[in-house]
């Protein structure tokens, strides 16, 4: 298309009445317009690993979604150009894409939905029989920080894994996005070395090997075989989740383990777990020391506290907290969540336990002035049914994470799974009746028996960034309930709702 043709198209588009534009979006033009939004959103908001942004953008252009049906087209057909929607953070105010002086920090030309419009779009969907007796919802405008729609939004409900948004916010606020968790090797005298865990949830066998190589330089001169000890004193009990016990969804919560205690080599999801992950990590360390040329005493390593004044022989650091939060959200990683809650507790000077994490997370969110009425954070992962949060809390948390005044919380947005593309939303939205949300909805999922929730962000059809939270308790069909929540998020994404 030539420059003149593009100018004519842009001028023609600007001259159309709003209703005509909306009709075009929802019919012949919706595939191009909606998926351009998807590409822009993914490009600016992550996920960050291995070229995922590019992959999401390419797939977005290849998808075939319209507002009222499916229509085939060849992979070589060129879509007509259309006005491009802004990136996910464009509506946040000066310095993040909005023109200086824009009213309320809103992006010029991107009108907010009205309460009446959202009510018309969402209330019928909230009556879906697949939802449980408890059904709450909230939609907020990110640019102005105002609620646009609410139904029971202040009522605390069981959130399942959407509570990980609260855990992540507390960790980012308390520790900072750049904080790393260190695992140390310490020595006392010439015979004893300690592997001291501090709660690195993604410590790998490779990094254990690197620790051994680094420590070997200090230990090769020892005349007697080295005795390996391991220290798990950073955390206090219990190690097992109070309502879960031993389960493939969560390893014993100890500050020293390799790959979350997984025994099958997997990176996320349920997996067989080690019975004593700290001892297994220490055994792997002892073996790595031998390979590095150090004489190691026979017998299994013993658990023992590190003596005061021990010398540091080697150290390895976890990824940054920002990266841990993103990984936790994308894959709904229970292990990372429980360790982050304990890190918040340690920072606050509280016991690194389920109770200590609960108190510390609540205290951190209170500092952020979030609505905590009825809230409880009995664990960091959302497995515990004693957890309670409101839709209002989840949406306000996402709005706060979008604020230029809270850049440390940004990983809460960049870590959200993208509908139809990755993480816990990878296999949703394709055939659920909510296909129009593919690539547009970014959200944290929550699922327990009888509990379903969804909280995240969308850029709507007018280019406005919105935060939402939909929660339901008492469901009987998990798949149907998920489809109902997905349909609500897709409805917000694909309407101007005015």
């Amino acid at each position: 298309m030539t420059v003149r043709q593009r100018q004519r198209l842009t001028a023609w588009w600007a001259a159309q009445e709003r209703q005509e534009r909306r009709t075009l979006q929802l019919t012949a033009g919706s595939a191009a317009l909606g998926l351009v939004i998807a590409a822009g959103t993914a490009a600016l908001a992550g996920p960050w690993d291995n070229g995922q942004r590019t992959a999401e953008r390419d797939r977005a252009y290849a998808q075939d979604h319209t507002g009222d049906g499916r229509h085939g087209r060849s992979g070589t057909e060129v879509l007509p150009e259309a006005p491009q929607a802004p990136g996910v953070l464009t509506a946040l105010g000066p310095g993040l894409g909005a023109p200086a002086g824009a009213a309320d920090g809103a992006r010029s030309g991107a009108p907010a939905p009205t309460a009446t419009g959202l009510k018309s779009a969402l209330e019928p969907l909230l009556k879906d029989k697949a939802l449980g007796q408890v059904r709450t919802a909230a939609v907020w405008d990110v640019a102005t920080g105002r609620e646009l729609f609410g139904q029971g939004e202040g009522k605390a409900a069981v959130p399942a894994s959407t509570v990980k948004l609260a855990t992540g916010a507390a960790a980012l606020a308390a520790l900072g996005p750049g904080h790393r968790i260190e695992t140390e090797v310490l020595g006392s005298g010439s015979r004893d070395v300690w592997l001291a865990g501090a709660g690195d949830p993604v410590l790998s066998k490779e990094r254990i090997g690197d620790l051994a190589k680094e420590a070997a330089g200090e230990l090769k001169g020892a005349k007697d075989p080295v005795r390996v000890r391991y220290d798990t004193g950073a955390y206090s009990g219990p190690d097992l989740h109070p309502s879960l016990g031993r389960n493939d969804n969560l390893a014993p919560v100890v500050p020293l383990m390799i790959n979350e205690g997984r025994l099958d080599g997997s990176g996320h999801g349920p997996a067989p777990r080690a019975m004593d992950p700290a001892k297994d990590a220490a055994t792997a360390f002892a073996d790595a020391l031998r390979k590095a040329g150090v004489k190691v005493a026979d017998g299994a390593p013993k658990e023992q506290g590190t003596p005061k004044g021990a010398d540091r022989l080697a150290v390895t650091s976890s990824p940054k907290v920002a990266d841990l939060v993103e990984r936790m959200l994308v894959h709904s990683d229970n292990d990372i969540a429980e360790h982050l809650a304990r890190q918040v507790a340690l920072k606050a000077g509280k016991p690194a336990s389920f109770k200590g994490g609960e108190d510390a997370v609540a205290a951190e969110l209170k500092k952020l002035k979030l609505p905590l009425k009825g809230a409880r954070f009995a664990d960091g992962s959302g497995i515990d049914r004693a957890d309670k949060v409101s839709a209002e809390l989840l949406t306000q948390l996402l709005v706060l994470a979008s604020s230029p005044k809270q850049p440390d919380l940004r990983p809460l947005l960049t870590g959200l799974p993208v509908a139809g593309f990755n993480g816990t939303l990878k296999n949703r939205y394709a055939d659920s009746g909510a296909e129009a949300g593919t690539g547009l909805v970014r959200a944290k999922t929550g699922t327990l028996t009888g509990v379903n929730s969804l909280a995240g962000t969308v850029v709507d059809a007018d280019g406005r960034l919105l935060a939402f939270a939909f929660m339901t308790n008492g469901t009987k069909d998990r798949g149907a309930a998920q489809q109902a929540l997905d349909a609500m998020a897709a409805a917000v994404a694909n309407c101007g709702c005015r």
Side-chain angles (χ1 to χ4, degrees), residues 25 27-43 53-67 69 71 73 79-80 82-87 418-421 429 434-441 459-461 493-494:
Q25 284 177 313
T27 54
S30 65
L33 291 170
L35 295 172
V36 166
I37 294 172
T41 302
R53 292 178 177 178
T54 301
E56 288 175 2
R57 184 191 63 223
D58 291 344
R59 184 174 173 187
Y61 279 110
Q63 290 291 319
D64 188 16
H65 299 294
T66 66
H71 306 275
R73 57 178 167 82
L79 293 174
Q84 186 165 343
V418 181
F421 288 108
Y429 287 81
E435 294 92 338
T438 301
L440 302 182
V441 175
V459 177
D460 74 4
N494 284 278

Side-chain angles (χ1 to χ4, degrees), residues 161 164 244 246-251 259-274 327 331-335 383 423-424 447 478:
S161 282
K164 290 182 173 77
L244 194 66
R246 293 198 179 276
N247 191 282
D248 287 354
N249 287 294
L250 180 67
N259 191 31
E260 300 179 342
R262 296 174 181 274
L263 299 177
D264 62 358
S266 62
H268 57 84
R273 305 299 183 115
R327 177 169 167 176
H331 298 297
S332 199
D333 193 301
N334 296 321
D335 297 88
I383 294 172
T424 55
T447 307
R478 180 182 68 179

Side-chain angles (χ1 to χ4, degrees), residues 74-92:
S74 70
T76 58
E77 182 179 348
V78 179
L79 293 174
E81 291 191 13
Q84 186 165 343
V88 71
L89 298 180
T90 305
L92 302 185

